[in-house]
Amino acid sequence: MSHECHPDCQRSMASKEEHDSAERAATVAANLISATRHALKLDSEMTEYSAQFLVDNALLEEKPGQSPHSFTLTVEDCLQYLVNMASPKIEAELEEMEKQQQRRAKITVKDCLECAFKEGIPKRESWAHLGCVSPVPAFASFMPRVPMKGKVIEVKKLEDAIKLMKRHPIAAKLLVFSPEIDHVGNGVYVGPSGAVGESRYVGLRDVILCGEEKFEGDDVMNVQICYKKRTSIFKVSLTRMVTTLADEGDKSQTIEPSGLLVDFVVPRIFK
């Protein structure tokens, strides 16, 4: 579908410095699916799949008796959808929007992959663009999806993830510190590097592992990340351990001793 959308979408996207956590997780999951299917020769060329579909459907509660094609699409259905889009939101709709925001806040890469394995996933051009705020119409279930089967493997240890990388693309979470994340360039990201108080812990961000190597005497991992709506690849130190303690009672800045890459996720797609 077109990336040009109505003014509500444009305002929403312009107001955000970066994608929210659900959009970031869905983007990584969709990219993992593309890379894995291409590696397995299930797709003859790299095929982009819809991250927004995963945002719209991961962790979605299925109503009893509900199925993707449990209704007949009519012209009236389409007209009613357009009327609802143009009408002011009533209280029940606002409550539903709040419920969906709570669902989105919980979405992880694992949830997105499990959604794709259960429901299939449409190609990117067959669904709304990433960040679309339009309600998903009921007749969207008629959009073609690529079926797939698989399971998600969670790995805690870096060394185990590196072994699996030989056969599977892998996602992980990166501990992000500012301003260091903004100034990596062609160097190596090592987390907080300044004096106490100069670095700020931003949080965890989903990344894709692209390959291990030696660089200037350090073991590093090339990772792909979408940060502040920009996709880039840079090197992350595999030897650096970080600990950040609360400063003046700010518990959001406290983390346990850890490497910079944690919580590895491997999609195993079956032929």
Side-chain angles (χ1 to χ4, degrees):
M1 290 185 179
S2 172
H3 286 221
E4 298 295 328
C5 206
H6 58 73
D8 285 349
C9 265
Q10 295 171 2
R11 284 191 292 268
S12 175
M13 294 177 69
S15 69
K16 296 191 297 186
E17 183 181 26
E18 68 172 323
H19 296 299
D20 65 29
S21 61
E23 292 166 349
R24 295 193 300 265
T27 298
V28 166
N31 288 339
L32 281 176
I33 290 169
S34 295
T36 303
R37 286 182 59 85
H38 185 247
L40 293 173
K41 296 183 170 54
L42 293 171
D43 293 332
S44 59
E45 59 184 7
M46 283 293 288
T47 302
E48 292 185 327
Y49 292 95
S50 173
Q52 185 60 36
F53 172 85
L54 300 175
V55 172
D56 291 334
N57 289 276
L59 297 181
L60 192 64
E61 293 182 7
E62 188 171 305
K63 298 177 182 179
Q66 184 183 51
S67 67
H69 301 283
S70 59
F71 67 95
T72 301
L73 177 63
T74 66
V75 173
E76 285 74 19
D77 293 325
C78 299
L79 292 175
Q80 186 59 52
Y81 176 74
L82 294 174
V83 169
N84 292 341
M85 286 286 293
S87 302
K89 298 292 187 292
I90 62 175
E91 184 175 351
E93 290 174 317
L94 294 173
E95 290 177 355
E96 179 61 24
M97 290 173 62
E98 176 61 28
K99 182 180 178 181
Q100 292 306 317
Q101 285 300 318
Q102 294 174 3
R103 174 187 64 85
R104 286 174 61 123
K106 299 175 184 178
I107 291 175
T108 65
V109 173
K110 178 187 177 185
D111 297 324
C112 291
L113 290 170
E114 290 178 339
C115 173
F117 295 155
K118 179 182 178 182
E119 305 291 344
I121 183 172
K123 296 180 180 179
R124 190 188 69 164
E125 63 269 19
S126 298
W127 202 262
H129 65 81
L130 185 64
C132 183
V133 298
S134 300
V136 180
F139 48 83
S141 62
F142 284 91
M143 299 303 295
R145 305 178 193 177
V146 176
M148 59 188 68
K149 295 181 180 180
K151 68 177 181 179
V152 182
I153 300 174
E154 295 180 283
V155 180
K156 290 298 181 183
K157 294 183 179 180
L158 173 63
E159 53 267 32
D160 293 334
I162 291 176
K163 291 177 184 176
L164 288 170
M165 275 187 65
K166 298 175 182 178
R167 301 187 301 274
H168 307 280
I170 294 180
K173 289 187 180 294
L174 175 70
L175 278 70
V176 172
F177 293 85
S178 180
E180 290 80 5
I181 191 71
D182 298 303
H183 306 302
V184 178
N186 295 321
V188 179
Y189 176 69
V190 295
S193 57
V196 175
E198 292 183 2
S199 293
R200 181 176 65 88
Y201 177 53
V202 176
L204 295 169
R205 293 294 184 271
D206 295 302
V207 299
I208 294 178
L209 308 188
C210 300
E212 181 192 18
E213 64 173 298
K214 279 278 190 182
F215 182 79
E216 297 182 350
D218 192 11
D219 294 323
V220 301
M221 180 69 71
N222 292 290
V223 306
Q224 177 180 297
I225 186 174
C226 183
Y227 182 66
K228 294 183 178 179
K229 299 182 182 178
R230 296 191 299 272
T231 300
S232 60
I233 296 177
F234 57 79
K235 296 175 174 59
V236 175
S237 173
L238 296 179
T239 58
R240 180 71 186 271
M241 297 292 293
V242 295
T243 301
T244 300
L245 300 176
D247 182 22
E248 298 181 354
D250 185 0
K251 293 184 179 180
S252 70
Q253 297 297 298
T254 301
I255 59 175
E256 297 294 328
S258 170
L260 292 168
L261 291 166
V262 298
D263 299 341
F264 307 95
V265 175
V266 185
R268 292 196 63 186
I269 297 178
F270 306 137
K271 290 186 177 181

